[in-house]
Amino acid sequence: MKVDRRRLELTLEELSRIGETPRGGLTRLALSDDDRRARDRVVAWMRATGLAVRVDRMGNIFGERPGTEPLPPVMVGSHLDSVPTGGRYDGQLGVLCALEAIRALDDHGVRTRHPVTLVVFTNEEGARFQPAELASGVLAGRIPLEDAYNARDKDGIRLVDELERIGYLGPEPCAARPMRAYLELHIEQGPLLEEGGYSVGVVEGIVAISWSRVTIRGTQDHAGPTPMRTRHDALVAAADVVAGVRRLARDIVGGDMVATVGQLSVAPNIVNAIPGTVTLSVDLRDPSDSALDRALPMLERVVRQACEREGVRWELEHYWRVPYTPFDPLVVDTIERAARAAGARHRRLRSGAGHDAQYMATLGPAGMIFVPSRGGRSHCEEEFTPMDDIEYGATTLLLAAAELARAE
Ligand code: HGY
Ligand code: MN
Ligand code: MN
């Protein structure tokens, strides 16, 4: 069994035009008009493929291909939202490969005992509404619906109001249902597959992730007459924190830990005022939960010492945490067999990026299939994956889903 490479390529080209940036990337923020257009397009493809479509209260979209028996479904999917000036593969490639796998089952006249359900998760990136993986987190019962509804973007707009506005505040409860397995194809977003000449990554697990918010309050003042000896500059303290976060991951904890200060806002953010308030984000990741647990008090010490040096006040809030997620060994083995049957050069690896599969793995057997990222690049317009590798990955997804759904 194979996928239809040209059909898959055409769907990717068409969907990539929704939210396309001038440099060929994607800006399609969650619940934006572009997200709505992309959702509408995928729902139309679902319906044209004969899937029974339903939408839940978090805007997650499900398209079910019936099985021959009323058994729990094999779920296949990913997300459609992107980061600002992101790439055209992160998320949407997984949705389109899942759609293509279902279409290929039809092409080959394959019936499966279990239904196969295509799923699109809302707000995976956490770029507009925080934290990431918000809708799969609600589905998994890890994040209260009301908290997700009240998440606000940088303009103070609530998630629930945007769901309503774009017409994806669905009637179905956003709650777990029995499932046979969950499979997600995704780009690796790192260098390992390309470096080794592999087309497919058999993902064994996903790193633990912690997101924190630091708020630093100094003394806003005039940039001119205020003597250096009397200043309490929030941005000077923040600069120390940024450098301290890098040292913490690289020199102190070391090993596999990574740390990023990706977001930083300054008030009043004008040339001639000493910054009074700075807020910044800290993203820490490590395959070891205990390493992450050790790092959080170290982060607090970095913040406290930087702020004491500058005589400014600070708050530190750890507001999102997902543990290291091992995938189900039987699903991992099934994916590995499928990659071999697809004729793909493949290897096992771990994911350094978070995915909805982290929460889905708490609901049942889950696994992921990676395809290479050119230069390991992602969350940027340069993101690229060759069509040959996409074909291998999509065929692997097709074969693994068919096996788990008990093709007849
Ligand atoms: O943060 C992540 O790793 C994912 O891209 N949301
Ligand atoms: Mn993604
Ligand atoms: Mn992403």
Side-chain angles (χ1 to χ4, degrees):
M1 255 198 313
K2 282 175 68 67
V3 297
D4 182 327
R5 173 193 174 118
R6 186 65 188 135
R7 179 173 59 193
L8 177 54
E9 196 168 20
L10 290 173
T11 51
L12 181 59
E13 280 168 10
E14 181 171 345
L15 202 60
S16 298
R17 283 196 283 276
I18 302 176
E20 186 175 25
T21 62
R23 293 180 64 231
L26 209 54
T27 295
R28 187 192 295 154
L29 295 186
L31 307 183
S32 62
D33 289 338
D34 282 330
D35 190 18
R36 176 181 49 77
R37 278 190 282 272
R39 288 162 169 263
D40 291 349
R41 192 72 203 82
V42 170
V43 166
W45 278 324
M46 285 180 175
R47 293 213 162 95
T49 308
L51 304 185
V53 177
R54 60 185 176 86
V55 179
D56 74 13
R57 296 183 54 72
M58 274 298 293
N60 296 316
I61 306 168
F62 303 87
E64 179 167 296
R65 179 181 194 261
T68 54
E69 297 175 37
L71 293 168
V74 170
M75 299 179 74
V76 287
S78 192
H79 61 94
L80 291 175
D81 63 310
S82 81
V83 299
T85 61
R88 59 199 304 224
Y89 298 87
D90 179 352
Q92 71 172 10
L93 183 67
V95 171
L96 294 177
C97 287
L99 172 69
E100 176 53 38
I102 289 174
R103 285 169 153 177
L105 289 172
D106 289 345
D107 291 349
H108 293 81
V110 171
R111 301 309 310 158
T112 57
R113 289 182 58 202
H114 295 257
V116 178
T117 298
L118 174 53
V119 58
V120 175
F121 290 108
T122 299
N123 197 68
E124 188 280 338
E125 289 296 0
R128 182 179 178 194
F129 300 102
Q130 295 199 37
E133 304 165 22
L134 203 42
S136 52
V138 173
L139 187 75
R142 301 302 167 96
I143 299 175
L145 180 70
E146 280 316 304
D147 290 1
Y149 274 9
N150 290 317
R152 291 178 184 273
D153 69 5
K154 63 179 174 44
D155 301 320
I157 299 170
R158 287 195 315 161
L159 181 143
V160 64
D161 297 328
E162 283 294 89
L163 268 179
E164 181 108 56
R165 183 183 68 83
I166 69 165
Y168 278 89
L169 177 53
E172 298 271 335
C174 182
R177 295 183 174 198
M179 70 176 187
R180 166 71 185 87
Y182 173 76
L183 293 176
E184 180 168 358
L185 181 145
H186 203 284
I187 53 172
E188 178 200 344
Q189 304 175 296
L192 299 180
L193 293 178
E194 184 187 55
E195 281 171 357
Y198 299 101
S199 291
V200 166
V202 180
V203 189
E204 294 184 294
I206 304 180
V207 294
I209 303 175
S210 164
W211 280 10
S212 307
R213 182 179 297 114
V214 181
T215 305
I216 299 174
R217 301 187 198 288
T219 306
Q220 181 172 329
D221 219 325
H222 197 300
T226 311
M228 294 307 284
R229 58 185 162 75
T230 65
R231 294 184 179 208
H232 301 287
D233 184 330
L235 189 52
V236 169
D240 271 0
V241 170
V242 173
V245 165
R246 164 64 69 90
R247 277 196 305 277
L248 183 155
R250 191 185 52 193
D251 309 335
I252 300 169
V253 178
D256 293 310
M257 178 158 285
V258 293
T260 313
V261 175
Q263 207 172 31
L264 185 143
S265 62
V266 184
N269 203 29
I270 56 171
V271 174
N272 53 0
I274 299 168
T277 306
V278 171
T279 55
L280 58 89
S281 65
V282 181
D283 176 318
L284 295 177
R285 304 184 188 208
D286 196 292
S288 155
D289 278 292
S290 59
L292 215 42
D293 293 338
R294 280 199 319 278
L296 293 183
M298 295 176 184
L299 171 61
E300 179 162 340
R301 190 160 51 249
V302 163
V303 174
R304 180 171 4 87
Q305 289 173 349
C307 292
E308 284 170 355
R309 274 194 295 273
E310 187 60 23
V312 297
R313 287 169 293 122
W314 56 278
E315 292 153 33
L316 170 60
E317 180 198 4
H318 307 304
Y319 62 95
W320 187 50
R321 175 68 184 262
V322 279
Y324 174 75
T325 305
F327 285 137
D328 180 278
L330 295 180
V331 173
V332 174
D333 290 345
T334 302
I335 291 171
E336 194 162 56
R337 277 198 306 278
R340 195 171 303 122
R345 289 203 68 234
H346 59 279
R347 63 157 283 183
R348 290 187 176 216
L349 79 173
R350 186 178 54 220
S351 174
H355 301 283
D356 292 308
Q358 274 169 299
Y359 284 123
M360 295 307 283
T362 67
L363 301 177
M368 290 189 77
I369 297 162
F370 275 178
V371 289
S373 295
R374 184 171 59 188
R377 303 291 308 280
S378 180
H379 280 194
C380 60
E381 295 169 306
E382 292 77 10
E383 198 176 86
F384 176 79
T385 300
M387 205 53 220
D388 285 351
D389 295 321
I390 292 173
E391 184 178 10
Y392 276 124
T395 302
T396 301
L397 178 66
L398 165 64
L399 297 176
E403 181 174 330
L404 289 165
R406 310 288 296 278
E408 293 176 336

